[in-house]
Amino acid sequence: MKDRCLLSKKSYRSWTEIQKEHKDFLTSLGPLTPDEMIEYLKIEYGTTPPFKKSEILDFLHSDAEILATGSECSSNRQV
């Protein structure tokens, strides 16, 4: 399990740049539309997604650059 899930609106040139800033980086969701992002999280996390749809939509319309969970974040999928 990882410490947290994080959504960022920050623009990165590559996944290695993300990895330098976020050591546990596993995957990028972008660029996705809000509906595509929500659908991905439903598939990945089933009935326990790390963010509610309303949280994602509020975040996307806010000035905040990062939305992060405060608790552990684990997927239903096995790697």
Side-chain angles (χ1 to χ4, degrees), residues 10-79:
K10 186 174 178 179
S11 180
Y12 295 94
R13 289 182 293 227
S14 71
W15 69 268
T16 55
E17 190 178 322
I18 300 169
Q19 186 75 49
K20 287 178 187 174
E21 190 171 324
H22 304 284
K23 302 296 182 202
D24 289 338
F25 169 75
L26 294 177
T27 192
S28 173
L29 297 183
L32 296 177
T33 67
D35 287 337
E36 290 169 331
M37 185 183 313
I38 292 163
E39 185 61 29
Y40 171 84
L41 291 172
K42 283 181 186 176
I43 292 167
E44 186 74 14
Y45 295 93
T47 59
T48 56
F51 306 103
K52 296 176 184 174
K53 180 178 181 177
S54 60
E55 291 175 314
I56 294 170
L57 294 174
D58 289 347
F59 167 64
L60 293 174
H61 292 98
S62 76
D63 292 332
E65 191 171 81
I66 292 175
L67 175 64
T69 60
S71 59
E72 290 182 339
C73 182
S74 62
S75 168
N76 291 331
R77 293 176 53 185
Q78 301 209 359
V79 179

